């Protein structure tokens, strides 16, 4: 005999809080900045390699 029944609640889709949305936006911006920085690093490394090949 069940004395306590769990009522089936309608599950609403999860909606992130304002803080979670802001954190996600900061993370996305940081990832974009990181990709740009990595691209610059690879560009500088390629340039340095080319210059080393020319001088050798």
């Amino acid at each position: 005999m069940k004395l306590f029944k769990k009522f089936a609640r309608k599950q609403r889709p999860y909606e992130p809080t304002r803080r979670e949305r802001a954190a996600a936006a900061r993370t996305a911006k940081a990832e974009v900045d990181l990709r740009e920085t990595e691209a610059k690093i690879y560009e500088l490394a390629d340039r340095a390699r080319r210059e080393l090949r020319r001088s050798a």
Side-chain angles (χ1 to χ4, degrees):
M1 176 176 166
K2 289 189 176 183
L3 296 176
F4 301 101
K5 290 185 179 181
K6 288 186 178 180
F7 293 100
R9 295 182 185 163
K10 290 184 179 179
Q11 290 282 333
R12 292 187 340 187
Y14 178 74
E15 189 171 325
T17 63
R18 183 175 9 156
R19 284 184 177 183
E20 290 172 329
R21 288 192 302 269
R26 284 193 308 271
T27 301
K29 184 180 183 309
E31 288 177 350
V32 168
D33 291 344
L34 179 62
R35 285 192 196 107
E36 289 174 356
T37 303
E38 286 178 339
K40 289 177 186 176
I41 289 171
Y42 283 117
E43 182 182 329
L44 288 171
D46 289 342
R47 190 179 311 161
R49 281 190 212 106
R50 273 188 255 126
E51 290 177 7
L52 284 172
R53 282 188 209 131
R54 285 184 202 152
S55 65

